[in-house]
Amino acid sequence: MDNTFPIDPNEGEVIHDLQPFVRVYKDGTIKRLSGYEVCDPGLDARTGVLSKDVLIVPETGVSARLYRPNIIADGEKLPLVVYFPGGAYMISSPWFPGYHNSLNNLVAQAKVVVVSVDYRKAPEHPLPVAFDDSWDALKWAASHASGAGTEPWLLNNVDFDRVFLAGDSAGASISYQLMFRSKNTEMMATGLKLVGMILINPYFWGKEPIGAEVTNTVLKGLVDKWWAFVCPSDKGNDDPLVNPMAEGAPPLKELGCARVIVCVAEQDILRDRGVLFYESLEKSEWKGKAKLIDVQGEGHIFHIFKPDCENATNMIKGLADFIHDKM
């Protein structure tokens, strides 16, 4: 497999080459190879969606980009989607153009308010920092359910009886972990109700290969390498942070929401893990309702790189139907 980003020997000695995400040099320099592009918030004329950026935790820099339809009827309350972008815990942010465009599409199609969270990344901040930052962002959103928060878009436009955790790739795994973390906490006493979870190409993994992992040993090795880099753990690929079926992982039957949708893509090395999770959830004693969307002919997080393609449009429509309980 050829490197997407060739190494320039003039830049110094490389000690970690995490293609296509991050390169770490012996002198401590960290170079992000992708996912660093940004775009500004504002009114998107194409979709009629308005967005703005907010600082959530000044001490850590945890921030978010908020989205809402530009026109909302007086007194109308919309579902809230707390979204966690992916990027293998190493790159990307809510300001990345692909995420911005995709979430504009979701807000327009589903008529929701979105909080897209910018959590800190590895290697500067190895796991579990991303989970803790995301938890802080969720608590911030929840503070508005009791009226304690100060963000007017959340106070005036959100129905806190209809809150969803969502994300793609690493962000989907964050959503999954936070759904369990939120159970039996003071946050739930604010009046926020987590009714559903949206997992798009979830970054689930495991020690023993399954499906395409058995034959695609090169890509399997890369994903192994990425995980070991962002999560220094003696449990490796069977750490419950990445393997929901591993020893010590929370029981699926205790998942704290009533509805789950899992979106996988045919050409994604993570597809089989997503399907395994969906099937395991269906077979568990969980009392909720689950749905699987299996997109043919596409790869990992295609909806971010091609947010306006037909398959992405169809998937976003499926997510909108899920949010409004039309499964």
Side-chain angles (χ1 to χ4, degrees):
M1 181 177 180
D2 294 333
N3 286 340
T4 306
F5 302 91
I7 295 175
D8 182 352
N10 296 321
E11 292 183 345
E13 183 180 348
V14 175
I15 57 173
H16 295 289
D17 190 23
L18 282 301
Q19 300 273 350
F21 305 118
V22 170
R23 186 172 291 145
V24 181
Y25 293 84
K26 187 176 182 180
D27 64 3
T29 300
I30 298 170
K31 180 178 181 180
R32 284 181 165 78
L33 306 175
S34 58
Y36 49 78
E37 300 90 345
V38 300
C39 64
D40 294 329
L43 177 61
D44 182 57
R46 181 179 59 87
T47 59
V49 172
L50 188 63
S51 59
K52 66 177 179 180
D53 297 336
V54 297
L55 178 63
I56 294 176
V57 185
E59 295 80 6
T60 60
V62 175
S63 306
R65 178 161 289 182
L66 275 55
Y67 298 81
R68 69 167 201 193
N70 187 39
I71 299 175
I72 302 176
D74 290 343
E76 184 177 14
K77 301 287 188 176
L78 306 178
L80 174 66
V81 176
V82 183
Y83 194 95
F84 304 99
Y89 302 102
M90 290 183 273
I91 64 166
S92 205
S93 73
W95 347 123
F96 185 72
Y99 280 108
H100 183 70
N101 294 331
S102 181
L103 288 176
N104 277 331
N105 291 342
L106 177 62
V107 172
Q109 181 71 46
K111 202 171 184 183
V112 294
V113 174
V114 168
V115 174
S116 180
V117 178
D118 185 38
Y119 50 88
R120 288 174 292 175
K121 310 297 190 299
E124 298 93 332
H125 305 284
L127 295 183
V129 170
F131 297 99
D132 294 337
D133 284 353
S134 299
W135 178 244
D136 287 341
L138 180 57
K139 289 192 296 182
W140 172 83
S143 71
H144 296 79
S146 63
T150 59
E151 170 50 51
W153 285 15
L154 300 187
L155 290 173
N156 299 332
N157 304 130
V158 167
D159 176 1
F160 284 98
D161 284 334
R162 294 185 291 166
V163 180
F164 297 81
L165 299 186
D168 61 87
S169 195
S173 292
I174 290 173
S175 297
Y176 181 71
Q177 295 294 327
L178 295 196
M179 189 61 75
F180 280 103
R181 190 184 289 199
S182 66
K183 292 189 65 175
N184 304 317
T185 64
E186 292 182 1
M187 184 188 72
M188 304 312 294
T190 62
L192 176 144
K193 184 178 180 181
L194 295 174
V195 297
M197 184 169 60
I198 298 169
L199 306 180
I200 306 172
N201 304 157
Y203 187 179
F204 294 150
W205 206 234
K207 180 179 179 180
E208 294 300 322
I210 64 171
E213 302 164 23
V214 176
T215 54
N216 195 341
T217 56
V218 173
L219 191 49
K220 169 72 164 62
L222 285 176
V223 181
D224 290 347
K225 182 180 179 181
W226 298 336
W227 177 251
F229 182 72
V230 301
C231 185
S233 164
D234 58 4
K235 298 178 181 178
N237 291 343
D238 282 339
D239 192 301
L241 291 179
V242 75
N243 186 350
M245 266 68 76
E247 181 180 353
L252 294 178
K253 66 179 181 180
E254 297 181 6
L255 187 62
C257 61
R259 291 187 281 135
V260 172
I261 190 167
V262 182
C263 303
V264 298
E266 179 188 20
Q267 298 174 6
D268 182 7
I269 188 68
L270 301 181
R271 176 192 176 277
D272 298 302
R273 294 286 172 178
V275 173
L276 175 62
F277 169 77
Y278 165 78
E279 293 175 343
S280 299
L281 185 61
E282 285 280 81
K283 294 174 184 176
S284 74
E285 297 176 16
W286 177 64
K287 303 303 182 182
K289 183 166 58 172
K291 181 176 181 179
L292 179 71
I293 293 180
D294 193 351
V295 182
Q296 301 301 298
E298 301 288 0
H300 191 62
I301 61 169
F302 71 95
H303 69 296
I304 300 302
F305 297 111
K306 302 184 295 180
D308 297 318
C309 73
E310 182 178 1
N311 281 334
T313 299
N314 290 338
M315 188 182 78
I316 293 296
K317 184 180 185 304
L319 299 182
D321 289 343
F322 168 79
I323 289 169
H324 294 285
D325 203 10
K326 299 178 183 178
M327 292 175 60

